Amino acid sequence: MDSEWLNIFEKRPRDRSSKECEVLFDSLRKWKSLDRFSVGFLRRLSAFAYLEELGDGVTLYRKGDRGTSWYLILSGEIAAIPYRDQNEANATSVSILDRGSTFGESVLDDAPRKMTAVTRGPCLLLRVEKKDFIQLWERNKNDLTGTANGNPNVAHFQQHSKSVDSMTPVSSPVHNFSRSVSSKHLILQNLQNSERRGSASSSRTPSRSNSTESSSTQSTVLPEVTNDQAFASSILHMLLLESGNSIVRDRNVQGRIVKRTLIGSDLVDWLLSISSAFQNRSHACSLLQVLLEEGVLENITSDAVQFQDRGVLYKFTQDSYLDDFPDEVPLPSREEIREAETRKDDAISILLKKAPDAVLRAILRKHPEERTQEDVEAIYEELVHISSLSHLSTSIKRELASVIAFESHPKPGTILFQQGDEGTSWYVILKGSVNVVIHGKGVVNMLKEGEDFGQLALVNNAPRAATIVTREQGCHFLRVDKDDFNRILRDVEANTVRLQEHGKDVLVLEKVPPSSGKPSMYKYTVMAGVPSKMLEHLLETRLDSRNLETREEIIPGKSSIGSTLTTDYFLDDYLLTYILFMPTPQLISELEKNYRIDSSSQDREFVIANKSRVVQFVNQWVATIRDPVFDEKCTHEFFENLLVWLKEDSEALLALEEELEMIEHIVALLNDFRAQQSPNKRKLGQTWTLPSGGQSVTLFSKHEGEEDRQRAIRSTDDIIFRVYCSDHTYCTLRLPISTSAEAIKNSASDKLGLKHSDLVLGEVRSTGEKIIIPNSDIAIPTGLSINGRLFISPREHIDAMTPLPDQEGPSDGTGSELEMFSTRELAYFITLADWEHFNAVHEYELLHHVCRDVKPKRIKSNLDIFLRRFNELQFWIVTEICLAGTLGRRVTLLRKFIKLAAYCKEYQNLNAFFAIVMGLTNVAVSRLTQSWERVPSKLRKLLAEFESLCDPSRNHRSYRIAVSKLQSPIIPFMPLLIKDMTFTNDGNSTVQEASGLINFEKMHLLAQTLRTLRFCRGRQLLIQPPTPRSEMEVQNYLRNLRVIDNQRILTGLSQRLEPKRQ
């Protein structure tokens, strides 16, 4: 609080500028006594209110007086006496109003005061005149209804009056104010003292939520407005006023003139015209939703909670006080406009960061009947990434999306429900955390974002087993009320069909609701089942034997036959994930059974249809999975047999000609695969090497006649690598990639002259960490960490395995070499290399990485190398900066790496973008304050924007929203895809415990993530190369990065460069 605040309050409302109202608003928000009021109310209060300081024993008005003002107590106490003369009162008849209480609402109906109001000790009050309060009441009824009820001391007062607000001042506002204020210094002192008292008392006891547990009014609580948001809102307001009458105009609304109104669509047009930061109109609307939610912008046409891009009237809340002033009001000065123009981009950036959450909250605040299909889809996408809901089926999540409500509590210590209460709602924590309290035990647990509570009482129809209390400010919850909860359970069961054999469930189906107003192509989707029955259902319902319409993918080299895109992913899900629940030999056995269904009792058309469906399945199997289908030897015989059977059946049935062409093509692909795997070809084939200096796996020799480029690593490829002993002697091995750890151990022990008994193979990392590798693991060399080395040792001498000297990484940076390369050139070649690595990763590699118990084991070398590349780029950034000996070189590198991140983002190489940003924000780099001070502010702001995009909060919500707006080709942030699949795998069992059926909902969720890879690689990467100046030098440099991956060493280097300031 300062004298500026007081000077503004001394002015009449009509004389206050918009900037001054903003200053008052910022000050009012800091008062604990005003916490429960919405942002919009406080903004209007800053435009209308007068500040009054009164001494002890001052009579504001007497019983029977006519009201002229309404009051809000900032500090101190007011005695409410039910007599005209306060001397008539006794102790039992006096009620006390303290800070945060309001009184004086009788001005609304011009009724006489029913109480006499007298100060008890020094008081600070905000006073609003009658005509202004009527406007406040009309627009803020939720804030003002029952505001005194939060005070336990007013109960007796309410017994004597229908309204808590029944008081009027004796004298005029201006006279009262000037008479009671002795000095500004005294007011400032009282303000500071009362604020300290408010802070101390606000955390004494938990407060009960003001509404019942299931009340929808909780969703009207607005989020806290930060100083940055207030600044950004003020900037946009000034720029709007400067734009003139073409946008901001006075309009007649229901018979009265409302000043400075705006039409929603005009406001969107204006935003698009002043900034290129918006991708489309919806993006601009999301920014305006932030202003609407904060109460900066108000809808004067309706009560809609979502901003509408059409002819709806809006106005800035801080302009509300102008409506009663006929005179012209001052516009922002030229100096203010110039400052606003300068800081416009910062303001828009601040608000856009808040936009996604604001839009989601607006959707959640809608009544379920008002939600559109797009709204429900947006909520569903949020529910998919909530850990406590991962076990629910897709249909249940969609049902929840249509009814789930939003509830927020700004204060810590708010009680959501008490132990013993009736259970009426189920909650999911969207933001913040809560304590679980049990009588006699205290706090027994803490629940945080993504967790849920309250479901048990609904399921068992039992009282609450614990009390739930918010732990921090601004807690947000998703709430499902009991009636909706029970209805969803009933509906799901009603839509579920269970097929049984011998009294046991073998297939569980769920009815698919129509989407987007169109009837679904298939009536039921599979939730769970026996593998063979799921395959049988797939063949009968998802493969059309007449027109061969299945999916859009086709076998490379084969022309499309009726490639119709469908939204039913059952076939795709099955093909991508069957290895988790059905070995390939079992799949082949079931396909043979369904193909060879010949019987004299069967109808000819039925037999042809069955055979056609099996062929179509095989066709799509090879098209979707590609080479890994041929990696399993059992498929070779099956495809050859199928070709023989088809030739016979084609002649006998005079049908299946197109199916015969499909299988002939598949067998041709099989022959090509065999030719590549022949012993003679393999001798001339592809070999990889793991360099001894810690660099990534590189191509040592390629297949004869192949282009000199990166290609996928196959299980039959060879790799050259070293295995070390404890004394740092080593042997060099050349073995197939798929060689097991046990075979590597045996080969190394033979070469090193070690006994085979009780040896272990392990990785020793640069930090000294030792990881023992199980004998059954395969593709060991490609899975090593940066600077990791393979060691072999007797089990009793594991402790003797120590890192090699060169595992610490380089001692000199390459800054001088880096300066020779342009930043765009580096980004271009990093992206080309990453695209090659990314394209080489097969979907099955992610499954084997996440679901480690899948058999038979397959190599995941391409994924391992791609993930290793991410870590390599990240530590390369940190290494180069920490090895830069001079301040000037560090500043140069920081500038270069920020620009490098920007170029990678431009090329949609988000994997490298994340790696670079995480390198720049590594603690060893971020602590270099002297270096960062020299970096231009523009680049520092750019990095701050990048950090917000990489923000992991809300399950990387910012990144997910940004990616959803991109088109392929994209190199995605691979660690997040791995996290999503791990989340799905760990949160859902493959086999349902109760029924023993395969949980196909889990397969669908895993396949959804795998389809992301297919989408990102949907188009070829075609980016314009920079002017080539040193192509070979750049590529060679990037292939041979040397990095330090030991955080302890990096932090030590950083501290030596810039010692910690005392």
Side-chain angles (χ1 to χ4, degrees):
M1 300 296 178
D2 55 23
S3 57
E4 181 187 11
W5 196 72
L6 297 174
N7 288 332
I8 297 170
F9 261 129
E10 283 184 338
K11 294 183 178 182
R12 294 179 302 171
R14 70 176 63 191
D15 296 330
R16 296 172 192 168
S17 68
S18 59
K19 189 172 184 180
E20 288 173 332
C21 290
E22 198 68 21
V23 172
L24 295 183
F25 165 69
D26 286 338
S27 299
L28 291 178
R29 283 194 304 111
K30 298 173 184 176
W31 282 78
K32 298 292 182 184
S33 55
L34 305 182
D35 275 354
R36 69 171 173 275
F37 294 109
S38 72
V39 173
F41 173 74
L42 293 181
R43 284 189 180 278
R44 296 184 182 97
L45 195 62
S46 65
F48 291 130
Y50 292 90
L51 178 69
E52 296 204 16
E53 185 196 34
L54 304 175
D56 183 25
V58 176
T59 300
L60 290 165
Y61 50 77
R62 299 184 187 277
K63 181 178 179 180
D65 291 345
R66 290 290 175 180
T68 61
S69 294
W70 169 87
Y71 294 87
L72 187 152
I73 304 173
L74 286 179
S75 67
E77 295 178 341
I78 299 292
I81 305 169
Y83 303 101
R84 182 166 181 81
D85 188 347
Q86 59 176 304
N87 295 325
E88 301 175 23
N90 55 52
T92 59
S93 64
V94 176
S95 297
I96 303 300
L97 302 177
D98 63 8
R99 64 187 186 88
S101 299
T102 65
F103 57 95
E105 280 91 335
S106 64
V107 296
L108 290 171
D109 54 9
D110 202 27
R113 301 298 196 186
K114 296 186 179 181
M115 292 281 175
T116 296
V118 183
T119 61
R120 287 183 36 146
C123 291
L124 281 174
L125 308 176
L126 290 179
R127 181 178 57 77
V128 179
E129 294 181 346
K130 178 178 178 179
K131 60 182 177 60
D132 296 329
F133 179 69
I134 291 173
Q135 289 189 45
L136 275 178
W137 174 263
E138 289 175 350
R139 297 172 181 173
N140 299 274
K141 290 181 181 179
N142 288 336
D143 286 279
L144 296 173
T145 301
T147 47
N149 294 345
N151 191 318
N153 297 320
V154 301
H156 181 77
F157 182 34
Q158 289 173 307
Q159 291 173 8
H160 295 275
S161 172
K162 292 182 180 179
S163 170
V164 174
D165 312 313
S166 49
M167 311 181 177
T168 304
V170 175
S171 53
S172 68
V174 177
H175 175 70
N176 235 4
F177 181 78
S178 59
R179 182 186 63 181
S180 59
V181 178
S182 58
S183 70
K184 289 183 181 179
H185 175 74
L186 178 61
I187 292 181
L188 285 172
Q189 189 176 26
N190 286 338
L191 285 171
Q192 292 160 357
N193 291 339
S194 63
E195 183 66 12
R196 283 193 289 270
R197 288 195 299 272
S199 299
S201 63
S202 63
S203 59
R204 290 175 190 166
T205 56
S207 62
R208 177 79 179 198
S209 176
N210 288 336
S211 64
T212 59
E213 188 181 321
S214 62
S215 170
S216 62
T217 59
Q218 288 297 339
S219 63
T220 62
V221 179
L222 296 176
E224 180 184 355
V225 183
T226 65
N227 289 332
D228 281 347
Q229 288 170 259
F231 146 77
S233 306
S234 178
I235 292 292
L236 292 184
H237 181 245
M238 281 190 284
L239 292 175
L240 257 175
L241 295 180
E242 193 270 340
S243 65
N245 294 333
S246 59
I247 300 175
V248 185
R249 288 189 295 175
D250 299 346
R251 290 179 172 88
N252 189 315
V253 180
Q254 296 179 351
R256 65 186 182 95
I257 298 299
V258 180
K259 295 193 174 184
R260 289 184 177 175
T261 62
L262 309 119
I263 295 176
S265 56
D266 289 347
L267 198 47
V268 175
D269 290 337
W270 175 76
L271 278 179
L272 294 173
S273 69
I274 67 166
S275 175
S276 59
F278 303 104
Q279 298 170 350
N280 48 42
R281 297 186 70 86
S282 296
H283 199 202
C285 286
S286 68
L287 180 146
L288 295 169
Q289 181 61 46
V290 177
L291 301 184
L292 187 62
E293 184 184 53
E294 289 176 359
V296 175
L297 200 65
E298 62 176 312
N299 186 330
I300 60 177
T301 306
S302 70
D303 294 329
V305 296
Q306 195 164 13
F307 181 85
Q308 299 173 60
D309 182 13
R310 53 192 180 89
V312 176
L313 287 181
Y314 294 92
K315 73 179 300 179
F316 274 74
T317 309
Q318 63 197 79
D319 291 335
S320 296
Y321 71 95
L322 301 175
D323 295 344
D324 295 318
F325 300 144
D327 301 332
E328 287 295 321
V329 292
L331 293 172
S333 65
R334 290 185 179 181
E335 183 180 347
E336 288 176 324
I337 294 299
R338 280 196 297 270
E339 181 184 0
E341 286 285 358
T342 303
R343 308 189 70 178
K344 173 188 65 179
D345 292 339
D346 292 341
I348 290 173
S349 176
I350 289 168
L351 294 174
L352 282 178
K353 290 176 186 176
K354 304 289 182 181
D357 286 342
V359 171
L360 178 65
R361 285 192 292 267
I363 293 172
L364 287 166
R365 286 190 175 100
K366 287 184 179 181
H367 191 278
E369 294 179 358
E370 297 175 355
R371 292 175 186 169
T372 64
Q373 186 62 37
E374 290 76 15
D375 292 340
V376 173
E377 193 63 28
I379 298 173
Y380 168 76
E381 289 299 326
E382 183 73 18
L383 300 184
V384 165
H385 300 294
I386 294 177
S387 57
S388 59
L389 307 182
S390 62
H391 66 287
L392 299 178
S393 68
T394 300
S395 60
I396 291 180
K397 290 193 187 101
R398 291 195 180 278
E399 286 281 345
L400 288 174
S402 65
V403 300
I404 205 160
F406 178 75
E407 183 172 317
S408 68
H409 295 280
K411 292 183 181 180
T414 300
I415 298 173
L416 271 72
F417 53 75
Q418 294 270 20
Q419 184 175 346
D421 287 353
E422 178 189 357
T424 59
S425 296
W426 168 39
Y427 294 86
V428 178
I429 305 174
L430 198 58
K431 176 189 173 186
S433 57
V434 299
N435 281 331
V436 182
V437 183
I438 294 180
H439 296 332
K441 295 182 179 179
V443 178
V444 297
N445 196 9
M446 186 270 287
L447 303 175
K448 57 185 184 300
E449 181 180 312
E451 296 184 289
D452 70 317
F453 56 90
Q455 186 178 8
L456 193 61
L458 270 61
V459 173
N460 298 332
N461 199 25
R464 297 296 193 187
T467 298
I468 300 295
V469 185
T470 58
R471 297 183 70 250
E472 53 192 276
Q473 291 183 342
C475 289
H476 294 175
F477 303 92
L478 298 176
R479 190 190 73 240
V480 182
D481 294 331
K482 187 174 183 178
D483 291 343
D484 292 323
F485 181 84
N486 291 333
R487 180 186 57 77
I488 289 172
L489 293 182
R490 288 195 303 269
D491 289 350
V492 168
E493 190 59 35
N495 289 329
T496 300
V497 176
R498 301 177 184 275
L499 305 183
Q500 295 186 335
E501 287 184 1
H502 307 295
K504 291 185 177 181
D505 291 345
V506 294
L507 196 62
V508 180
L509 306 175
E510 186 176 33
K511 190 173 183 180
V512 179
S515 59
S516 303
K518 298 179 181 179
S520 178
M521 184 175 177
Y522 308 110
K523 291 184 178 180
Y524 291 92
T525 185
V526 175
M527 296 178 66
V530 175
S532 59
K533 292 299 176 182
M534 289 193 293
L535 177 62
E536 184 179 312
H537 180 75
L538 189 157
L539 293 173
E540 291 176 358
T541 63
R542 300 312 197 263
L543 295 166
D544 191 333
S545 63
R546 291 163 295 182
N547 56 23
L548 306 181
E549 291 184 356
T550 52
R551 289 171 60 252
E552 70 274 22
E553 288 85 6
I554 57 171
I555 300 175
K558 181 75 174 176
S559 61
S560 172
I561 305 176
S563 57
T564 301
L565 183 64
T566 175
T567 57
D568 183 89
Y569 291 111
F570 180 31
L571 174 59
D572 202 48
D573 295 344
Y574 196 98
L575 293 173
L576 287 172
T577 62
Y578 80 88
I579 62 171
L580 299 180
F581 58 85
M582 191 179 197
T584 302
Q586 183 185 348
L587 173 62
I588 289 174
S589 174
E590 292 296 330
L591 289 173
E592 288 179 345
K593 187 188 302 182
N594 278 277
Y595 182 88
R596 308 197 70 177
I597 200 170
D598 302 336
S599 171
S600 57
S601 62
Q602 298 287 0
D603 177 72
R604 176 178 177 276
E605 294 298 324
F606 174 78
V607 171
I608 293 174
N610 273 356
K611 295 179 184 296
S612 175
R613 288 167 182 153
V614 170
V615 173
Q616 290 175 64
F617 179 90
V618 170
N619 184 44
Q620 291 303 319
W621 182 19
V622 176
T624 302
I625 308 305
R626 306 178 301 280
D627 283 356
V629 174
F630 301 131
D631 282 338
E632 298 200 53
K633 301 295 184 184
C634 59
T635 61
H636 298 193
E637 182 181 358
F638 171 62
F639 294 149
E640 289 172 338
N641 289 341
L642 192 56
L643 178 60
V644 173
W645 298 335
L646 265 172
K647 286 179 177 178
E648 295 172 354
D649 292 335
S650 178
E651 294 178 2
L653 299 171
L654 301 178
L656 303 173
E657 290 83 2
E658 292 184 9
E659 287 80 357
L660 178 59
E661 289 181 15
M662 289 181 182
I663 297 303
E664 285 176 342
H665 180 72
I666 289 173
V667 171
L669 292 176
L670 172 62
N671 292 332
D672 290 343
F673 177 84
R674 282 171 167 167
Q676 292 293 333
Q677 306 306 312
S678 64
N680 293 335
K681 191 73 173 178
R682 284 182 57 190
K683 288 179 182 178
L684 301 173
Q686 187 165 258
T687 302
W688 304 84
T689 182
L690 180 64
S692 59
Q695 297 92 338
S696 185
V697 172
T698 57
L699 191 61
F700 182 74
S701 64
K702 62 183 184 299
H703 286 296
E704 186 178 4
E706 281 197 355
E707 297 178 14
D708 186 16
R709 62 178 178 84
Q710 176 79 25
R711 52 148 288 178
I713 298 175
R714 291 181 174 176
S715 59
T716 52
D717 291 346
D718 286 348
I719 186 167
I720 301 170
F721 59 98
R722 291 179 178 181
V723 179
Y724 292 85
C725 289
S726 300
D727 61 359
H728 293 181
T729 57
Y730 65 87
C731 66
T732 302
L733 301 178
R734 175 173 175 164
L735 295 170
I737 292 281
S738 58
T739 303
S740 68
E742 185 172 19
I744 292 175
K745 186 172 59 177
N746 293 337
S747 297
S749 61
D750 288 341
K751 277 202 168 188
L752 293 168
L754 302 174
K755 293 182 180 179
H756 285 208
S757 60
D758 209 24
L759 292 175
V760 295
L761 186 71
E763 177 189 358
V764 177
R765 296 181 173 176
S766 61
T767 59
E769 181 185 4
K770 305 172 184 65
I771 300 173
I772 304 304
I773 300 171
N775 287 337
S776 60
D777 281 8
I778 60 174
I780 309 302
T782 57
L784 296 178
S785 64
I786 302 174
N787 293 327
R789 301 289 188 274
L790 271 181
F791 276 71
I792 188 172
S793 168
R795 189 175 297 276
E796 63 270 17
H797 295 152
I798 289 176
D799 292 340
M801 298 191 302
T802 57
L804 304 172
D806 67 348
Q807 282 185 256
E808 289 192 357
S811 55
D812 298 312
T814 60
S816 56
E817 191 175 355
L818 266 175
E819 290 176 3
M820 298 168 53
F821 309 138
S822 77
T823 309
R824 183 176 284 275
E825 198 173 15
L826 283 169
Y828 174 78
F829 287 110
I830 286 173
T831 300
L832 287 188
D834 286 355
W835 179 252
E836 291 291 346
H837 286 304
F838 176 54
N839 258 332
V841 177
H842 192 276
E843 292 94 331
Y844 276 3
E845 296 191 51
L846 275 77
L847 286 178
H848 281 274
H849 183 89
V850 172
C851 312
R852 297 184 180 274
D853 55 348
V854 179
K855 294 180 181 179
K857 289 192 172 184
R858 299 175 186 265
I859 69 166
K860 52 186 183 67
S861 298
N862 298 290
L863 176 61
D864 288 338
I865 290 174
F866 188 52
L867 293 173
R868 185 186 190 279
R869 181 67 171 176
F870 175 87
N871 294 327
E872 188 176 53
L873 287 175
Q874 178 183 347
F875 282 110
W876 167 59
I877 301 294
V878 187
T879 299
E880 291 299 333
I881 293 171
C882 290
L883 291 178
T886 65
L887 179 61
R889 174 153 290 177
R890 288 197 297 278
V891 173
T892 300
L893 287 174
L894 287 172
R895 296 174 63 172
K896 193 178 193 72
F897 289 144
I898 293 173
K899 293 177 182 176
L900 182 63
Y903 284 131
C904 287
K905 182 171 177 283
E906 178 186 330
Y907 290 148
Q908 298 191 165
N909 184 357
L910 301 179
N911 200 64
F913 168 77
F914 262 78
I916 296 165
V917 173
M918 291 174 70
L920 288 168
T921 54
N922 184 287
V923 65
V925 176
S926 62
R927 65 169 301 279
L928 299 173
T929 54
Q930 296 174 40
S931 304
W932 283 108
E933 287 169 358
R934 300 282 188 94
V935 176
S937 60
K938 184 177 180 180
L939 289 179
R940 292 203 302 270
K941 288 179 182 177
L942 185 62
L943 179 60
E945 291 180 17
F946 292 165
E947 287 183 70
S948 67
L949 183 59
C950 299
D951 181 8
S953 64
R954 302 287 298 281
N955 199 12
H956 286 277
R957 181 176 177 81
S958 298
Y959 166 77
R960 294 183 192 276
I961 290 172
V963 171
S964 68
K965 298 171 183 174
L966 301 179
Q967 294 295 323
S968 60
I970 305 168
I971 305 177
F973 177 39
M974 185 61 79
L976 185 57
L977 294 180
I978 297 292
K979 176 188 172 186
D980 286 347
M981 292 188 67
T982 302
F983 172 80
T984 299
N985 184 59
D986 294 347
N988 301 271
S989 59
T990 300
V991 179
Q992 296 178 348
E993 292 184 11
S995 63
L997 301 178
I998 300 300
N999 177 11
F1000 202 76
E1001 282 283 332
K1002 173 179 177 176
M1003 305 305 141
H1004 174 68
L1005 293 173
L1006 290 172
Q1008 277 186 316
T1009 305
L1010 295 178
R1011 273 189 286 275
T1012 302
L1013 269 69
R1014 189 184 300 162
F1015 170 77
C1016 292
R1017 299 188 290 219
R1019 300 175 186 171
Q1020 284 298 315
L1021 180 69
L1022 300 173
I1023 54 177
Q1024 188 66 32
T1027 304
R1029 292 186 298 177
S1030 48
E1031 179 177 339
M1032 295 302 298
E1033 291 86 347
V1034 174
Q1035 289 181 313
N1036 187 60
Y1037 174 85
L1038 293 173
R1039 274 197 295 261
N1040 294 281
L1041 295 179
R1042 292 292 315 282
V1043 304
I1044 301 171
D1045 67 334
N1046 187 331
Q1047 187 64 49
R1048 179 182 55 81
I1049 295 175
L1050 291 169
T1051 303
L1053 289 171
S1054 174
Q1055 290 172 344
R1056 284 196 289 273
L1057 290 174
E1058 294 185 17
K1060 187 176 181 180
R1061 294 176 179 176
Q1062 297 299 323

